[in-house]
Amino acid sequence: MTTRILIVGGGLAGTIVANGLCRQLGRELAKGAVNITMLGADERHLYQPGLLYIPFGRMREAELFREQRKVLSHHVYFHVDPATAIDVDGRTVTTASGKEYGYDYLVLATGSRITPEEVPGMAEGAHWFYDLAGARRLREALGVFTGGRIVVNVNVPHKCPVAPIEVTFMLHDFLKERGLWDKTELTYTYPIGRLHGLEPVANWAQPEMDRLGIKYETFFNAESVDPNARTVTSMEGSTLPYDLLITIPPHKGAQVIENSGLGKGGWVATDKKTLHRVGSNNVFVVGDTTDIPISKAGSTAHFEADTLVDNLVSLIQEGCMAREYDGKVFCFIEAGLNRGTYVWFNYQVPPNPVPPSRMVHWFKLAYNRMYWLSARGLM
Ligand SMILES: Cc1cc2nc3c(=O)[nH]c(=O)nc-3n(C[C@H](O)[C@H](O)[C@H](O)COP(=O)(O)OP(=O)(O)OC[C@H]3O[C@@H](n4cnc5c(N)ncnc54)[C@H](O)[C@@H]3O)c2cc1C
């Protein structure tokens, strides 16, 4: 009998799971005892962290994409046919083309998406870099920026917890390089009472912003944007004027998750250690799609995916789970255009940013190139 593994979502987490399974289940795949199918929404695989560099001209668009089929092991049956309905009781997934896929194990890896439309005026009045179209528009806006008020406005939930801080420090250096810093007022806003959700990161970022002359406002939850008046107003009653508004829009999980009744907002209730969908012993959730209260990040997705691969292999070969996810996250943080730091943490150990250096910045740039090896499971 063939064990059917169905992976929905061919982004970072789904790809690492698929390739990791192929590496460890070579014998079973060769005998036809295991079959791995992936349903994706796109022929191309996007390296999302690279979007941060597009507005500053520090990466080219072509560097962010690879053909998904070439990133995947040839053992994986990959279909560009997005899931439209997931029936965990009936153990089937229906797709846009009307096909129905059965499974023995289901991996939900549909990620998250930006929803600027949730804040009135944001889609019309703001820029962002969280998708390619947004990053392109921001590159154009920065190209013609001659000085004025820039607001970096952070909304939650969002993926990559450090990208808002990174873009702020990179903006500072970018404007300085162009001789525009003295003509610019840069303000960073954050929804809670400090500059970052992770307290040690907030404690590191605040003196850095003070030193560079970057202004900030906390307890700022965007309620609306007025594109004509060029203002952004918070639920707390503060209104900031801007010439350029760079927002991290709020996020939701995939529509198919909500439509299938698998989780409000598209986030699936997930056991934080086993990565089971709560209530299903043959459905696993990995990456941004989980509702686990830790950072939604590529590294989170990667470490979860590694755990899940070991557990699925162990379930197939030995009938039991192998290990638990310990909450590990590792994030590089750009502290400007030429300096970087990093944090790592897990469920037990809090993050502790190290002093920024050129060396860490270079490591991050190197990782941007090595990502494709990591997605293939080669590092
Ligand atoms: C600007 C930016 C900077 C970032 N920087 C970093 C960083 O420095 N470090 C870091 O660790 N993380 C970073 N991240 C976050 C990281 O990219 C994500 O957390 C990571 O991609 C999550 O992986 P995932 O597989 O869960 O989701 P994704 O990689 O988003 O993959 C989800 C996939 O599911 C597909 N999908 C959606 N719906 C369906 C459907 N119905 N059927 C089939 N497929 C579907 C999507 O098309 C997508 O391919 C950054 C993100 C951005 C946007």
Side-chain angles (χ1 to χ4, degrees):
M1 217 179 73
T2 304
T3 302
R4 296 161 305 166
I5 303 174
L6 180 60
I7 302 170
V8 184
L12 192 150
T15 301
I16 291 175
V17 169
N19 287 336
L21 289 172
C22 292
R23 218 174 41 251
Q24 294 200 47
L25 291 173
R27 210 166 11 117
E28 288 81 357
L29 285 161
K31 282 193 303 191
V34 168
N35 164 306
I36 301 171
T37 301
M38 173 182 282
L39 300 175
D42 206 321
E43 295 281 359
R44 295 192 305 169
H45 187 119
L46 166 64
Y47 175 58
Q48 296 177 40
L51 291 170
L52 173 67
Y53 299 86
I54 295 289
F56 304 106
R58 296 286 169 129
M59 270 183 107
R60 288 181 305 106
E61 291 178 18
E63 294 177 88
L64 307 187
F65 290 97
R66 294 282 188 281
E67 260 185 67
Q68 175 66 354
R69 279 195 179 80
K70 292 193 176 157
V71 179
L72 285 173
S73 159
H74 67 275
H75 289 296
V76 181
Y77 296 98
F78 174 59
H79 306 282
V80 181
D81 193 6
T84 51
I86 300 167
D87 176 359
V88 292
D89 297 323
R91 297 189 172 202
T92 55
V93 173
T94 309
T95 63
S97 73
K99 291 206 179 89
E100 206 176 78
Y101 292 82
Y103 61 83
D104 298 297
Y105 291 108
L106 176 65
V107 177
L108 296 175
T110 43
S112 57
R113 64 200 161 99
I114 55 170
T115 53
E117 64 280 4
E118 276 181 63
V119 180
M122 185 175 275
E124 301 79 25
H127 284 79
W128 55 80
F129 55 96
Y130 264 58
D131 59 18
L132 183 60
R136 275 181 187 159
R137 280 185 55 236
L138 180 55
R139 180 177 57 199
E140 282 159 22
L142 285 175
V144 296
F145 184 76
T146 52
R149 286 165 299 202
I150 302 183
V151 175
V152 176
N153 160 248
V154 187
N155 296 271
V156 284
H158 69 83
K159 62 186 149 193
C160 192
V162 296
I165 285 193
E166 293 184 288
V167 80
T168 305
F169 289 131
M170 289 166 82
L171 268 170
H172 167 270
D173 285 9
F174 177 84
L175 295 166
K176 206 148 194 180
E177 272 183 4
R178 300 196 150 204
L180 293 172
W181 181 244
D182 294 341
K183 299 179 196 157
T184 303
E185 182 184 278
L186 176 58
T187 307
Y188 168 95
T189 75
Y190 205 71
I192 60 169
R194 56 178 188 247
L195 295 189
H196 198 268
L198 300 166
E199 200 172 349
V201 175
N203 292 342
W204 164 76
Q206 187 165 340
E208 282 287 301
M209 289 199 191
D210 288 339
R211 187 174 66 79
L212 298 172
I214 299 169
K215 298 187 168 192
Y216 43 81
E217 185 165 328
T218 57
F219 288 124
F220 191 102
N221 289 276
E223 185 174 55
S224 62
V225 175
D226 184 335
N228 297 319
R230 295 188 168 196
T231 54
V232 51
T233 298
S234 73
M235 292 173 191
E236 291 81 4
S238 168
T239 295
L240 292 176
Y242 66 81
D243 296 297
L244 179 61
L245 175 62
I246 302 174
T247 189
I248 314 299
H251 285 45
K252 279 188 168 181
Q255 193 71 57
V256 65
I257 300 292
E258 272 201 297
N259 293 354
S260 306
L262 291 179
K264 197 160 167 269
W267 316 119
V268 182
T270 307
D271 184 295
K272 70 179 205 173
K273 291 184 175 170
T274 67
L275 305 176
H276 279 112
R277 169 187 175 254
V278 172
S280 305
N281 62 8
N282 68 334
V283 180
F284 292 92
V285 196
V286 63
D288 290 354
T289 315
T290 78
D291 74 340
I292 302 175
I294 50 167
S295 303
K296 293 194 182 302
S299 76
T300 312
H302 192 150
F303 293 124
E304 287 175 352
D306 285 347
T307 309
L308 180 51
V309 167
D310 284 351
N311 283 334
L312 276 170
V313 170
S314 192
L315 278 168
I316 288 164
Q317 293 179 342
E318 289 145 31
C320 61
M321 300 274 280
R323 64 188 175 100
E324 291 182 336
Y325 173 57
D326 64 359
K328 188 169 173 194
V329 182
F330 177 96
C331 285
F332 285 114
I333 310 175
E334 294 287 22
L337 288 177
N338 299 301
R339 296 183 326 136
T341 176
Y342 66 86
V343 284
W344 83 266
F345 49 99
N346 63 25
Y347 291 143
Q348 312 295 335
V349 182
N352 183 18
V354 298
S357 66
R358 272 179 184 269
M359 175 94 86
V360 179
H361 164 69
W362 289 332
F363 270 126
K364 178 154 185 177
L365 295 188
Y367 182 79
N368 288 339
R369 266 60 187 180
M370 292 188 301
Y371 168 73
W372 300 107
L373 294 176
S374 147
R376 288 189 177 96
L378 299 175
M379 63 168 261

